[in-house]
């Protein structure tokens, strides 16, 4: 804090400089606001700042992190277009790319400028086929380059003679016939083919009752071709040579499919809700079901699903605690107690208690006034015995 000498009152809060060698961390909103860039580069720095030149071979394909942007020179200042075209021609002739710092909306990015010469249309030289300019290629930072751990290289000596022979037979028998490459490249999309045939049938008014021509799905393996004895034998020999326990199925993912998880049934009573809460299965219910419970209990419905689960679980626990602390229900008297059915508590058929109005009443009179069930039982429990 900076203090005013006369009044000894703080004038403004000045942040202390970070320790030497420490790394400064900025929040995303600080970077987006542009204040961080202004403090680092200044307010008057242009968006594109040249750092130097490198050979074109230094720009590897894996360094492209997102689609490039094309920059075409314009005459914003006198002579800028001529200077940009001269730079493009010089860089293209010498096989160079430019490295620059590109800043947009406060965030700085390292980029490469790949020159592109103007190419005219062969039929009309006055028409531009490719404009003159730079491809602005976004480059990754050092911490964004991944170095995956590759498995060790397998040497030919790591396989036995039977394994190599089984592999040769497998490749030989599963090699597509002559012209197979063209056949694979010409496989139509089965979904699009079926869609177009349906449109064609509707356009020619063939009627919805006519059967749609069957579309051959070229992405499905040819069972007849793979089922020939020689190919079946080569596949079995390959599996046996490498000790594969189970062949990969035709589902594409390999192995057995995991069993489908059944949806939790919706509780219909307080006991079922308590059982699901005790088993920790409330999260299996949908947010709609949880909100229906909260709406019925008069609780708030806002928040994410985790908040709904916590709110329902807390209410169930609170209700269970209230039921645990509630007084036991009072049984009514019967003929064996020496009174009429419903006349009063079983322990004292003719007992009277003082209600809030100061008068004495039997339990049957409490039921008549408060109604059957818990209201009369609670009133009887609070009444003053005589």
């Amino acid at each position: 804090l900076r203090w005013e000498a006369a009044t000894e009152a703080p004038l403004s809060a000045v942040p202390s400089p970070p320790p030497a060698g420490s790394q400064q961390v900025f929040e995303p909103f600080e970077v987006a606001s542009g204040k961080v860039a202004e403090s680092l580069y200044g307010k008057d720095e242009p968006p594109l700042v040249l750092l130097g030149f490198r050979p074109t071979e230094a720009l590897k394909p894996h360094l492209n992190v997102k689609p490039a942007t094309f920059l075409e020179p314009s005459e914003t200042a006198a002579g800028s277009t001529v200077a940009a075209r001269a730079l493009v021609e010089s860089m293209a002739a010498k096989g160079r790319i430019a490295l620059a710092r590109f800043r947009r909306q406060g965030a700085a990015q390292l980029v490469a400028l790949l020159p592109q010469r103007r190419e005219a249309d062969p039929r009309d030289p006055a028409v531009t086929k490719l404009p003159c300019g730079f491809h602005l290629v976004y480059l990754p930072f050092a911490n964004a380059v991944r170095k995956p751990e590759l498995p060790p290289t397998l040497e030919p000596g790591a396989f036995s003679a039977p394994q190599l022979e089984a592999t040769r037979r497998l490749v030989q028998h599963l090699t597509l016939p002559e012209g197979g490459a063209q056949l694979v490249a010409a496989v139509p999309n089965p979904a699009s083919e079926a869609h177009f045939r349906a449109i064609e049938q509707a356009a020619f008014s063939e009627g919805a009752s006519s059967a749609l021509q069957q579309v051959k799905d070229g992405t499905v393996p040819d069972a007849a071709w793979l089922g020939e004895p020689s190919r079946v034998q080569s596949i079995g020999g390959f599996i046996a040579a490498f000790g594969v326990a189970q062949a990969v199925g035709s589902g594409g993912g390999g192995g057995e499919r995991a069993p489908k998880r059944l949806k939790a049934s919706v509780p219909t009573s307080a006991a079922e809700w308590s059982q699901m809460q005790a088993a920790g299965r409330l999260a299996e219910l949908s947010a709609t079901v949880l909100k229906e419970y909260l709406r019925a209990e008069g609780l708030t419905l806002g928040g994410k699903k985790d908040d709904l689960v916590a709110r329902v679980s807390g209410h169930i626990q609170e209700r269970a605690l209230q039921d645990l602390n509630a007084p036991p229900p009072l049984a009514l008297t019967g003929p064996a107690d020496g009174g009429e059915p419903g006349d009063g508590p079983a322990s004292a058929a003719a007992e009277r208690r003082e209600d809030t109005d100061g008068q004495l009443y039997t339990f049957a009179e409490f039921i008549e006034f408060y109604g059957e069930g818990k209201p009369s039982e609670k009133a009887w429990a609070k009444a003053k015995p005589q």
Side-chain angles (χ1 to χ4, degrees):
L1 293 178
R2 188 174 58 188
W3 296 81
E4 207 278 332
T7 59
E8 295 186 357
L11 290 179
S12 61
V14 180
S16 58
S22 62
Q23 182 179 4
Q24 289 183 289
V25 180
F26 300 99
E27 297 294 335
F29 72 91
E30 295 177 323
V31 178
S33 64
K35 295 182 179 180
V36 176
E38 292 179 0
S39 62
L40 294 177
Y41 312 122
K43 295 183 179 180
D44 300 329
E45 185 191 56
L48 190 64
V49 179
L50 179 65
L51 300 179
F53 298 93
R54 291 293 303 275
T56 307
E57 295 77 11
L59 184 59
K60 304 299 180 182
H62 65 273
L63 296 179
N64 292 267
V65 296
K66 60 181 180 179
T69 302
F70 187 75
L71 302 180
E72 187 175 1
S74 60
E75 194 70 13
T76 55
S80 60
T81 303
V82 177
R85 290 178 179 175
L87 182 60
V88 168
E89 291 292 335
S90 177
M91 292 173 58
K94 296 180 180 180
R96 294 289 188 272
I97 61 171
L99 295 181
R101 181 175 68 244
F102 179 65
R103 182 164 58 89
R104 177 184 294 177
Q105 297 179 354
Q109 177 76 40
L110 190 65
V111 297
L113 299 178
L114 182 64
Q116 175 180 286
R117 288 172 170 169
R118 178 186 179 273
E119 183 177 342
D121 193 340
R123 296 169 295 182
D124 188 358
V127 177
T128 301
K129 184 179 180 180
L130 292 177
C132 173
F134 295 95
H135 292 279
L136 191 145
V137 182
Y138 299 92
L139 302 178
F141 290 105
N143 56 355
V145 178
R146 297 181 299 170
K147 297 180 180 179
E149 296 182 2
L150 301 178
T153 305
L154 296 177
E155 301 295 336
F159 304 99
S160 62
Q163 291 177 339
L164 294 176
E165 182 63 24
T167 305
R168 293 190 187 97
R169 290 184 178 181
L170 180 68
V171 175
Q172 179 182 0
H173 287 95
L174 294 185
T175 301
L176 293 174
E178 192 67 24
Q182 290 79 5
L183 177 64
V184 171
V187 172
N189 187 338
S192 300
E193 192 73 10
H195 175 69
F196 293 143
R197 290 190 182 183
I199 295 177
E200 183 181 14
Q201 178 180 348
F204 285 100
S205 302
E206 297 180 3
S209 59
S210 59
L212 187 64
Q213 186 179 358
Q214 187 67 25
V215 177
K216 183 179 179 180
D217 192 351
T219 62
V220 178
D222 191 348
W225 186 76
L226 291 174
E228 294 184 2
S230 59
R231 295 187 177 88
V232 174
Q233 185 178 1
S234 63
I235 295 175
F238 178 82
I239 294 174
F242 284 89
V244 180
Q246 184 179 2
V248 177
S250 60
E256 296 182 357
R257 183 177 297 179
K260 186 176 181 180
R261 187 175 183 179
L262 299 177
K263 292 185 178 179
S265 58
V266 179
T268 58
S269 63
E272 293 180 359
W273 279 101
S274 299
Q275 292 176 1
M276 291 204 69
Q277 189 274 336
R281 298 182 56 195
L282 290 178
E284 300 178 9
L285 300 174
S286 64
T288 304
V289 176
L290 297 173
K291 287 184 178 180
E292 289 179 357
Y293 176 89
L294 296 174
R295 187 180 293 107
E297 299 295 335
L299 303 176
T300 56
L301 307 179
K304 300 181 179 180
K305 183 177 179 181
D306 295 339
D307 302 329
L308 301 179
V309 171
R311 200 172 300 137
V312 171
S313 178
H315 182 265
I316 293 176
Q317 293 178 356
E318 182 180 355
R319 185 180 59 188
L321 185 61
Q322 292 178 356
D323 294 342
L324 183 63
N325 297 331
L330 301 176
L332 299 180
T333 60
D337 300 309
E340 297 297 328
D343 190 41
S347 58
E351 182 183 0
R352 293 176 178 268
R353 293 191 178 184
E354 183 179 343
D355 200 4
T356 55
D357 58 356
Q359 302 296 326
L360 299 178
Y361 301 97
T362 62
F363 186 69
E365 293 172 335
F366 268 81
I367 293 178
E368 182 179 356
F369 182 75
Y370 290 101
E372 296 183 358
K374 288 187 176 181
S376 58
E377 296 174 1
K378 291 183 178 179
W380 179 264
K382 293 179 179 179
K384 183 177 179 182
Q386 297 297 316

